[in-house]
Every structure is written in C-alpha cells, then in structure tokens.
Amino acid sequence: MLEGKRVVVIAGSSGIGAEVARQAAEKGARVTITGRDPERLRAAAESMPPGVETVAFDATDRADGLKVAMVNK
C-alpha cells in the first residue's frame, strides 16, 4: 500500500515520529525524516531500514520550510 509512495515525517528523529517513519519504510515508502538536530536525524536514520533520508529543518523558521518543500523535487 505504501510501496513507492513518498512519506515526510516532521519530528521524525525520535518517539512516535520515528516509529511512523520506520513502519512506513518497512512497508516500502520512500521516507524522509525532519528535525532540528542533524546528528539526531542521522542517528535515527541509521537505526531504520536503508534509504531513509534526512532534512534538518526548524519549523519556526519560514525559510527552512523550503527545504521540506523540495523533498519531492
């Protein structure tokens, strides 16, 4: 059902966000996790199925929103 779909998980480096990202990746989705801390994102992605991408992003910074908008490009 998620095979080949794009899933972007805001705050995906821990907790519920990380679990949602993990399950989506296991079901074949192309997953990108976002968060403010690049190191936490990297560590989270390494604990997930291969291919999970990361985008460091601060939701309170309007300019950072463009980073997430470009994920599908």
Side-chain angles (χ1 to χ4, degrees):
M1 183 176 210
L2 291 177
E3 188 73 37
K5 303 287 184 181
R6 166 64 72 187
V7 174
V8 178
V9 181
I10 307 297
S13 64
S14 65
I16 293 169
E19 186 58 27
V20 167
R22 181 176 291 105
Q23 289 186 25
E26 288 172 353
K27 292 179 179 168
R30 295 174 24 221
V31 176
T32 300
I33 57 174
T34 72
R36 290 181 286 186
D37 185 331
E39 289 304 313
R40 284 184 64 187
L41 287 169
R42 182 193 55 72
E46 288 178 356
S47 73
M48 295 182 190
V52 173
E53 299 174 357
T54 66
V55 175
F57 159 74
D58 183 347
T60 64
D61 183 342
R62 182 173 245 185
D64 261 6
L66 293 174
K67 292 180 185 176
V68 175
M70 299 302 292
V71 166
N72 276 329
K73 302 276 182 214

